[in-house]
Amino acid sequence: MIKEKRLKKIQEYVNEHQSASLDELVTVFNVSKNTIRRDVQELVDRGELKKVYGGVSVVQSKLESFQVRQVRNQDRKELIAKKAASYVEDGDFIFIDSGTTTIEMLEYLKDKQVTVFTNNIDFIVDSLPYEKINVITIGGMLERKTKSFVNPRNMDLLKDYNIKKAFMASTGISLTNGVTNASPLESELKKIVVNRSAEVYLLVDQDKFDKYGLMTYCGFDEIDYIVTDALPNETYQEYAKKNGIQLVMAD
């Protein structure tokens, strides 16, 4: 196999499996361990993979600025947000997570009588003209990259709320690492919200599958609905069916 082709195959294999040992790669690609070591080192030097004990793993997603993320896949995000908002009914008490997809829900909620608990600064500001939307936020430290309040002092206050529906964002999701987030400061809040919510909706586009960020804030099986723009592969479909997770396609 030509070297560049093999390097591409190695990267694809590790991305699919999240990590791989050197011995595993030797067996899969039928080359010597010295060859695998050289190939792996080249991919590490390029920034495509990272070394871990005994092998390599995918590079974790980095926390990009809100503005950079907001312009990516904008049409998909609007479709996903519109579909997610269709599950909100008058009188609901909901949580809107920080994120470039969840913020798009406001356009489809502005005429509904709802109470929204959120740390999403854009949602708080942009909802000011809409008197039917009651907004609750407990404040905290400003996280500029996500335009959200994080790490609130009084986390116990969150445990007093019974949230009917939580609409969550994610850096990436995988069967191995669950639902992840790139900001450690947000993770504790997200964990509590998921635990306090009767229904959890995850809003992710197709590019988020088989990716993961720094922190896991809930297990894949803690999600009730995944609202996305394309069906994930059969492995995800089977897992969702087995665990009672509804895959909802935005259209």
Side-chain angles (χ1 to χ4, degrees):
M1 187 184 294
I2 300 172
K3 180 182 177 182
E4 278 303 321
K5 186 176 180 181
R6 187 175 65 247
L7 289 174
K8 183 180 179 181
K9 292 290 185 182
I10 290 172
Q11 184 181 347
E12 289 174 351
Y13 181 87
V14 176
N15 285 341
E16 180 181 352
H17 295 83
Q18 299 294 306
S19 64
S21 69
L22 295 182
D23 289 338
E24 181 181 352
L25 294 175
V26 166
T27 301
V28 171
F29 294 97
N30 194 28
V31 293
S32 70
K33 199 162 189 176
N34 284 336
T35 298
I36 284 296
R37 283 198 181 101
R38 289 193 295 269
D39 288 350
V40 163
Q41 187 59 54
E42 186 163 341
L43 289 168
V44 169
D45 291 342
R46 293 180 186 179
E48 304 291 351
L49 301 175
K50 73 170 185 176
K51 281 187 174 180
V52 295
Y53 182 76
V56 286
S57 73
V58 296
V59 178
Q60 293 174 333
S61 301
K62 295 179 180 179
L63 181 59
E64 298 174 303
S65 71
F66 189 93
Q67 289 79 6
V68 169
R69 291 181 289 117
Q70 191 167 30
V71 298
R72 187 186 300 129
N73 302 329
Q74 184 62 27
D75 291 343
R76 294 190 213 167
K77 292 174 182 179
E78 290 177 5
L79 287 173
I80 292 168
K82 182 179 181 180
K83 190 67 174 182
S86 70
Y87 286 87
V88 179
E89 301 172 344
D90 284 341
D92 278 351
F93 177 58
I94 66 175
F95 177 80
I96 300 289
D97 198 5
S98 64
T100 55
T101 302
T102 49
I103 182 59
E104 299 296 334
M105 290 181 66
L106 177 60
E107 176 66 22
Y108 309 103
L109 296 177
K110 61 186 182 183
D111 295 322
K112 297 185 180 183
Q113 189 77 49
V114 293
T115 298
V116 179
F117 175 49
T118 187
N119 64 330
N120 188 323
I121 293 173
D122 277 346
F123 191 98
I124 296 166
V125 174
D126 293 348
S127 65
L128 286 173
Y130 308 118
E131 295 184 2
K132 287 186 176 182
I133 299 177
N134 299 313
V135 178
I136 300 174
T137 178
I138 60 173
M141 186 170 71
L142 173 64
E143 171 65 279
R144 286 180 172 81
K145 285 188 176 181
T146 58
K147 297 182 79 172
S148 64
F149 290 122
V150 298
N151 199 25
R153 276 186 167 185
N154 189 7
M155 295 294 281
D156 289 338
L157 181 62
L158 292 169
K159 297 172 183 176
D160 293 333
Y161 288 110
N162 296 310
I163 302 168
K164 187 170 184 180
K165 298 165 184 172
F167 296 88
M168 307 301 295
S170 175
T171 301
I173 59 174
S174 71
L175 297 179
T176 304
N177 295 293
V179 185
T180 62
N181 182 50
S183 171
L185 294 173
E186 289 187 323
S187 293
E188 189 62 28
L189 172 63
K190 292 175 186 288
K191 287 178 182 178
I192 294 175
V193 167
V194 168
N195 288 333
R196 297 299 304 165
S197 299
E199 295 178 354
V200 179
Y201 296 74
L202 182 63
L203 281 58
V204 287
D205 61 58
Q206 58 187 287
D207 294 338
K208 298 292 181 66
F209 289 91
D210 283 330
K211 303 289 194 311
Y212 69 95
L214 182 62
M215 306 288 291
T216 296
Y217 70 82
C218 77
F220 205 88
D221 57 351
E222 295 179 75
I223 301 298
D224 298 298
Y225 297 81
I226 297 176
V227 188
T228 186
D229 58 318
L231 275 175
N233 64 43
E234 289 185 5
T235 303
Y236 283 94
Q237 292 181 48
E238 290 173 5
Y239 184 91
K241 185 176 181 180
K242 183 179 178 181
N243 290 275
I245 302 167
Q246 293 194 40
L247 294 173
V248 178
M249 297 300 104
D251 48 27

